[in-house]
Protein backbone atom coordinates (compact mmCIF):
# COMPACT_ATOMS: atom_id res chain seq x y z
CA UNK A 1 0.00 0.00 0.00
CA UNK A 2 1.13 3.51 -0.75
CA UNK A 3 1.01 6.33 1.77
CA UNK A 4 -1.20 9.02 0.30
CA UNK A 5 0.65 11.86 1.95
CA UNK A 6 4.01 10.83 0.46
CA UNK A 7 3.27 10.53 -3.23
CA UNK A 8 6.17 11.99 -5.25
CA UNK A 9 5.11 15.03 -7.26
CA UNK A 10 7.64 14.44 -9.97
CA UNK A 11 9.13 11.11 -11.06
CA UNK A 12 11.77 10.71 -13.77
CA UNK A 13 12.45 7.38 -15.45
CA UNK A 14 15.60 6.41 -17.33
CA UNK A 15 14.04 3.73 -19.52
CA UNK A 16 17.10 1.57 -20.18
CA UNK A 17 17.74 -1.98 -21.34
CA UNK A 18 15.72 -2.30 -24.56
CA UNK A 19 18.73 -3.43 -26.58
CA UNK A 20 19.77 -6.10 -24.06
CA UNK A 21 16.19 -7.35 -23.79
CA UNK A 22 16.21 -8.01 -27.53
CA UNK A 23 19.78 -9.36 -27.70
CA UNK A 24 18.98 -11.91 -24.96
CA UNK A 25 16.23 -13.25 -27.20
CA UNK A 26 18.27 -13.24 -30.39
CA UNK A 27 16.13 -10.40 -31.73
CA UNK A 28 17.29 -7.14 -33.35
CA UNK A 29 17.74 -4.26 -30.85
CA UNK A 30 14.96 -2.46 -32.63
CA UNK A 31 12.50 -5.10 -31.41
CA UNK A 32 13.48 -4.19 -27.86
CA UNK A 33 12.65 -0.55 -28.54
CA UNK A 34 9.29 -1.56 -29.95
CA UNK A 35 8.51 -3.64 -26.86
CA UNK A 36 9.76 -0.82 -24.67
CA UNK A 37 7.32 1.61 -26.26
CA UNK A 38 4.50 -0.82 -25.49
CA UNK A 39 5.29 -0.53 -21.75
CA UNK A 40 4.55 3.18 -21.69
CA UNK A 41 0.78 3.16 -21.42
CA UNK A 42 0.68 0.95 -18.30
CA UNK A 43 3.29 3.00 -16.46
CA UNK A 44 1.72 6.33 -17.44
CA UNK A 45 -1.70 5.11 -16.29
CA UNK A 46 -0.24 3.86 -13.02
CA UNK A 47 1.45 7.21 -12.37
CA UNK A 48 -1.84 8.99 -13.02
CA UNK A 49 -3.81 6.69 -10.72
CA UNK A 50 -1.32 7.16 -7.93
CA UNK A 51 -1.45 10.93 -8.23
CA UNK A 52 2.02 11.70 -9.57
CA UNK A 53 1.77 15.23 -11.00
CA UNK A 54 4.65 15.08 -13.44
CA UNK A 55 6.26 12.07 -15.08
CA UNK A 56 9.43 12.69 -17.08
CA UNK A 57 10.58 9.92 -19.39
CA UNK A 58 14.12 9.83 -20.75
CA UNK A 59 13.40 8.59 -24.25
CA UNK A 60 16.40 9.76 -26.30
CA UNK A 61 19.58 11.41 -25.09
CA UNK A 62 21.79 13.82 -27.01
CA UNK A 63 24.46 11.11 -26.84
CA UNK A 64 22.05 8.61 -28.43
CA UNK A 65 22.51 10.46 -31.76
CA UNK A 66 25.82 8.57 -31.96
CA UNK A 67 24.03 5.24 -32.39
CA UNK A 68 23.89 3.58 -35.84
CA UNK A 69 21.70 5.54 -38.26
CA UNK A 70 19.40 2.60 -38.65
CA UNK A 71 18.66 2.44 -34.91
CA UNK A 72 18.13 6.21 -34.68
CA UNK A 73 15.78 6.12 -37.66
CA UNK A 74 13.73 3.34 -36.07
CA UNK A 75 13.56 5.18 -32.75
CA UNK A 76 12.24 8.24 -34.58
CA UNK A 77 9.65 6.14 -36.39
CA UNK A 78 8.54 4.60 -33.09
CA UNK A 79 8.27 8.04 -31.53
CA UNK A 80 6.15 9.29 -34.40
CA UNK A 81 3.87 6.24 -34.27
CA UNK A 82 3.58 6.55 -30.49
CA UNK A 83 2.55 10.21 -30.59
CA UNK A 84 0.01 9.61 -33.36
CA UNK A 85 -1.47 6.61 -31.58
CA UNK A 86 -1.58 8.06 -28.07
CA UNK A 87 -2.90 11.53 -28.88
CA UNK A 88 -6.53 10.57 -28.28
CA UNK A 89 -5.52 8.84 -25.03
CA UNK A 90 -3.79 12.03 -23.87
CA UNK A 91 -6.95 14.00 -24.56
CA UNK A 92 -9.18 11.42 -22.89
CA UNK A 93 -7.01 11.25 -19.78
CA UNK A 94 -6.38 14.99 -19.63
CA UNK A 95 -2.62 14.55 -20.02
CA UNK A 96 -0.52 17.64 -20.71
CA UNK A 97 2.34 16.67 -23.03
CA UNK A 98 5.65 18.53 -22.91
CA UNK A 99 9.17 17.95 -24.14
CA UNK A 100 12.60 18.91 -22.88
CA UNK A 101 15.82 18.83 -24.87
CA UNK A 102 17.09 20.00 -28.25
CA UNK A 103 13.98 18.94 -30.13
CA UNK A 104 15.04 21.10 -33.08
CA UNK A 105 17.47 18.29 -33.95
CA UNK A 106 14.58 15.87 -34.50
CA UNK A 107 13.19 15.23 -38.00
CA UNK A 108 10.90 18.03 -39.17
CA UNK A 109 7.75 15.88 -39.22
CA UNK A 110 8.28 14.84 -35.59
CA UNK A 111 8.92 18.43 -34.55
CA UNK A 112 5.58 19.51 -35.96
CA UNK A 113 3.84 16.51 -34.41
CA UNK A 114 5.35 17.44 -31.04
CA UNK A 115 4.30 21.08 -31.41
CA UNK A 116 0.78 20.03 -32.30
CA UNK A 117 0.55 17.59 -29.38
CA UNK A 118 1.93 20.19 -26.96
CA UNK A 119 -0.48 22.85 -28.17
CA UNK A 120 -3.57 20.64 -28.19
CA UNK A 121 -2.89 19.15 -24.76
CA UNK A 122 -1.80 22.41 -23.12
CA UNK A 123 -5.33 23.17 -21.89
CA UNK A 124 -5.74 19.76 -20.23
CA UNK A 125 -5.59 19.60 -16.46
CA UNK A 126 -4.35 16.10 -15.66
CA UNK A 127 -0.83 14.77 -15.23
CA UNK A 128 2.05 16.39 -17.10
CA UNK A 129 3.95 13.90 -19.23
CA UNK A 130 7.39 15.17 -20.16
CA UNK A 131 9.39 13.44 -22.87
CA UNK A 132 13.15 14.07 -22.71
CA UNK A 133 14.08 13.97 -26.39
CA UNK A 134 17.50 14.79 -27.76
CA UNK A 135 18.11 15.76 -24.15
CA UNK A 136 21.31 16.23 -22.19
CA UNK A 137 21.52 17.73 -18.72
CA UNK A 138 24.76 19.62 -19.28
CA UNK A 139 23.50 20.93 -22.58
CA UNK A 140 20.31 22.17 -20.91
CA UNK A 141 22.34 24.05 -18.30
CA UNK A 142 24.57 25.61 -20.95
CA UNK A 143 21.55 26.72 -22.97
CA UNK A 144 20.11 28.28 -19.80
CA UNK A 145 23.38 30.17 -19.19
CA UNK A 146 23.28 31.48 -22.77
CA UNK A 147 19.67 32.63 -22.29
CA UNK A 148 20.68 34.40 -19.08
CA UNK A 149 23.54 36.24 -20.80
CA UNK A 150 21.39 37.21 -23.78
CA UNK A 151 18.68 38.56 -21.46
CA UNK A 152 21.21 40.95 -19.94
CA UNK A 153 20.36 39.79 -16.42
CA UNK A 154 22.58 41.23 -13.68
CA UNK A 155 24.75 38.70 -11.84
CA UNK A 156 23.03 39.52 -8.55
CA UNK A 157 19.68 38.64 -10.07
CA UNK A 158 20.81 35.13 -10.93
CA UNK A 159 19.27 33.01 -8.23
CA UNK A 160 18.29 29.36 -8.10
CA UNK A 161 14.70 30.41 -8.82
CA UNK A 162 15.53 32.67 -11.75
CA UNK A 163 17.90 30.05 -13.17
CA UNK A 164 15.21 27.36 -12.79
CA UNK A 165 12.93 29.41 -14.98
CA UNK A 166 15.50 29.34 -17.80
CA UNK A 167 15.73 25.57 -17.84
CA UNK A 168 13.62 23.36 -20.13
CA UNK A 169 11.83 22.10 -17.00
CA UNK A 170 10.67 25.60 -16.04
CA UNK A 171 7.45 25.48 -14.04
CA UNK A 172 7.62 21.76 -13.27
CA UNK A 173 7.68 20.54 -9.66
CA UNK A 174 11.04 19.56 -8.21
CA UNK A 175 12.21 16.08 -9.08
CA UNK A 176 11.53 13.69 -6.19
CA UNK A 177 12.50 10.33 -7.61
CA UNK A 178 14.63 8.99 -10.46
CA UNK A 179 14.07 5.36 -11.48
CA UNK A 180 16.59 3.61 -13.73
CA UNK A 181 15.99 0.18 -15.17
CA UNK A 182 18.50 -2.35 -16.58
CA UNK A 183 21.01 -2.50 -13.72
CA UNK A 184 23.10 0.51 -14.74
CA UNK A 185 23.75 2.78 -11.78
CA UNK A 186 24.48 6.10 -13.39
CA UNK A 187 22.63 9.25 -14.40
CA UNK A 188 23.77 9.35 -18.06
CA UNK A 189 23.26 13.12 -18.33
CA UNK A 190 19.60 13.05 -17.21
CA UNK A 191 18.21 16.04 -15.24
CA UNK A 192 21.52 16.97 -13.59
CA UNK A 193 20.40 20.24 -12.00
CA UNK A 194 16.93 18.98 -11.11
CA UNK A 195 18.24 15.79 -9.53
CA UNK A 196 20.30 17.56 -6.86
CA UNK A 197 18.14 16.12 -4.06
CA UNK A 198 16.23 13.38 -5.88
CA UNK A 199 16.00 9.89 -4.47
CA UNK A 200 17.26 7.13 -6.77
CA UNK A 201 15.77 3.72 -7.38
CA UNK A 202 17.74 1.22 -9.44
CA UNK A 203 16.44 -2.10 -10.67
CA UNK A 204 17.99 -4.87 -12.77
CA UNK A 205 14.71 -5.29 -14.66
CA UNK A 206 15.06 -4.32 -18.31
CA UNK A 207 12.65 -1.60 -19.48
CA UNK A 208 10.52 -3.89 -21.71
CA UNK A 209 9.87 -6.04 -18.60
CA UNK A 210 9.11 -3.13 -16.24
CA UNK A 211 5.54 -3.47 -14.97
CA UNK A 212 3.08 -1.48 -12.92
CA UNK A 213 3.84 -3.82 -9.99
CA UNK A 214 7.50 -2.92 -10.10
CA UNK A 215 6.69 0.76 -10.47
CA UNK A 216 4.64 0.46 -7.26
CA UNK A 217 7.57 -1.28 -5.54
CA UNK A 218 9.79 1.65 -6.54
CA UNK A 219 7.31 4.12 -5.10
CA UNK A 220 6.98 2.14 -1.87
CA UNK A 221 10.75 2.10 -1.60
CA UNK A 222 10.77 5.87 -2.10
CA UNK A 223 8.19 6.31 0.65
CA UNK A 224 10.45 4.52 3.13
CA UNK A 225 13.27 6.97 2.57
CA UNK A 226 14.03 9.77 4.96
CA UNK A 227 14.66 12.89 2.91
CA UNK A 228 16.80 15.25 4.93
CA UNK A 229 17.97 17.81 2.36
CA UNK A 230 21.09 18.30 4.43
CA UNK A 231 19.24 19.14 7.63
CA UNK A 232 18.73 16.93 10.67
CA UNK A 233 15.70 14.66 10.80
CA UNK A 234 12.72 16.05 12.68
CA UNK A 235 12.91 15.32 16.38
CA UNK A 236 16.63 14.52 16.47
CA UNK A 237 18.62 15.44 19.56
CA UNK A 238 20.97 18.38 19.27
C1 LIG B 1 17.19 2.45 -23.79
O1 LIG B 1 17.61 1.18 -24.15
C2 LIG B 1 16.55 3.20 -24.92
C3 LIG B 1 17.38 4.26 -25.49
C4 LIG B 1 18.52 4.64 -25.03
C5 LIG B 1 16.87 4.94 -26.66
P1 LIG B 1 19.04 0.89 -24.77
O2 LIG B 1 18.93 0.95 -26.26
O3 LIG B 1 20.05 1.79 -24.19
O4 LIG B 1 19.27 -0.60 -24.31
P2 LIG B 1 20.64 -1.24 -23.82
O5 LIG B 1 21.14 -0.39 -22.69
O6 LIG B 1 21.55 -1.25 -24.99
O7 LIG B 1 20.25 -2.60 -23.36
C1 LIG C 1 20.27 6.61 -21.20
O1 LIG C 1 20.55 5.32 -21.59
C2 LIG C 1 19.38 7.28 -22.18
C3 LIG C 1 18.01 6.77 -22.28
C4 LIG C 1 17.49 5.81 -21.57
C5 LIG C 1 17.18 7.44 -23.24
P1 LIG C 1 21.86 4.94 -22.41
O2 LIG C 1 21.80 3.47 -22.63
O3 LIG C 1 21.94 5.80 -23.62
O4 LIG C 1 23.02 5.36 -21.42
P2 LIG C 1 24.44 4.72 -21.18
O5 LIG C 1 25.13 4.69 -22.51
O6 LIG C 1 24.23 3.35 -20.63
O7 LIG C 1 25.10 5.61 -20.18
MG1 LIG D 1 21.26 1.62 -22.55
Amino acid sequence: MLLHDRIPNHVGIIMDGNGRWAEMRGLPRIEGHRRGTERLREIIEAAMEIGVKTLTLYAFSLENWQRPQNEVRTLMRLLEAYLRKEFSEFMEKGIVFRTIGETWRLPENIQSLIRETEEKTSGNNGMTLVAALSYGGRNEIIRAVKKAILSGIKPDDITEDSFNSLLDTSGLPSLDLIIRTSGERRISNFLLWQGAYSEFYFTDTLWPDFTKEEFLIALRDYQMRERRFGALPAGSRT
Side-chain angles (χ1 to χ4, degrees):
M1 276 299 289
L2 287 172
L3 305 167
H4 293 288
D5 56 340
R6 298 191 76 175
I7 302 295
N9 279 322
H10 187 174
V11 178
I13 309 184
I14 303 175
M15 308 182 291
D16 197 14
N18 293 348
R20 275 164 286 167
W21 183 93
E23 280 156 21
M24 277 167 57
R25 288 164 177 78
L27 299 168
R29 291 178 55 83
I30 284 160
E31 187 57 22
H33 294 313
R34 206 179 59 73
R35 294 294 286 257
T37 314
E38 287 176 2
R39 289 277 84 231
L40 290 168
R41 200 184 280 183
E42 181 177 316
I43 302 304
I44 291 167
E45 276 175 7
M48 283 177 48
E49 279 167 27
I50 291 157
V52 170
K53 292 196 178 61
T54 303
L55 179 68
T56 299
L57 301 173
Y58 202 8
F60 191 79
S61 73
L62 265 180
E63 290 78 16
N64 289 151
W65 286 113
Q66 300 168 64
R67 298 209 178 174
Q69 255 192 29
N70 188 30
E71 184 169 343
V72 171
R73 222 177 298 125
T74 307
L75 284 166
M76 294 303 144
R77 264 204 299 271
L78 282 170
L79 174 61
E80 183 184 356
Y82 175 79
L83 287 174
R84 287 195 191 287
K85 188 154 155 268
E86 295 303 305
F87 175 70
S88 54
E89 292 279 323
F90 291 169
M91 295 310 285
E92 220 168 89
K93 293 173 180 151
I95 287 177
V96 178
F97 179 79
R98 244 178 97 160
T99 56
I100 55 172
E102 291 200 333
T103 48
W104 55 267
R105 291 184 186 275
L106 299 168
E108 195 58 59
N109 61 321
I110 294 183
Q111 286 184 51
S112 47
L113 192 56
I114 287 173
R115 263 195 304 275
E116 205 185 315
T117 313
E118 284 179 331
E119 277 165 21
K120 289 190 175 152
T121 62
S122 64
N124 288 347
N125 49 18
M127 186 178 78
T128 302
L129 176 67
V130 184
L133 292 168
S134 189
Y135 176 85
R138 287 182 173 176
N139 165 272
E140 181 194 27
I141 292 168
I142 285 174
R143 283 188 288 105
V145 169
K146 286 183 184 168
K147 282 184 224 167
I149 292 169
L150 285 170
S151 77
I153 190 171
K154 293 193 198 73
D156 282 349
D157 292 334
I158 299 183
T159 60
E160 291 193 9
D161 281 343
S162 70
F163 195 74
N164 255 324
S165 71
L166 298 173
L167 292 166
D168 295 351
T169 51
S170 167
L172 298 176
S174 61
L175 184 64
D176 297 307
L177 171 65
I178 296 176
I179 297 172
R180 182 168 189 155
T181 59
S182 91
E184 309 297 354
R185 284 162 169 75
R186 54 176 170 262
I187 191 138
S188 298
N189 211 4
F190 187 50
L191 300 174
L192 297 179
W193 166 281
Q194 298 83 346
Y197 264 106
S198 304
E199 297 294 327
F200 285 80
Y201 178 86
F202 296 109
T203 170
D204 288 341
T205 303
L206 304 174
W207 174 253
D209 291 328
F210 192 74
T211 57
K212 174 182 178 175
E213 284 67 41
E214 187 153 7
F215 185 54
L216 293 176
I217 292 171
L219 294 177
R220 255 176 248 133
D221 194 274
Y222 164 85
Q223 294 195 327
M224 309 275 286
R225 316 266 180 99
E226 182 180 54
R227 302 185 74 192
R228 290 191 289 273
F229 301 97
L232 294 179
S236 56
R237 293 205 303 187
T238 52

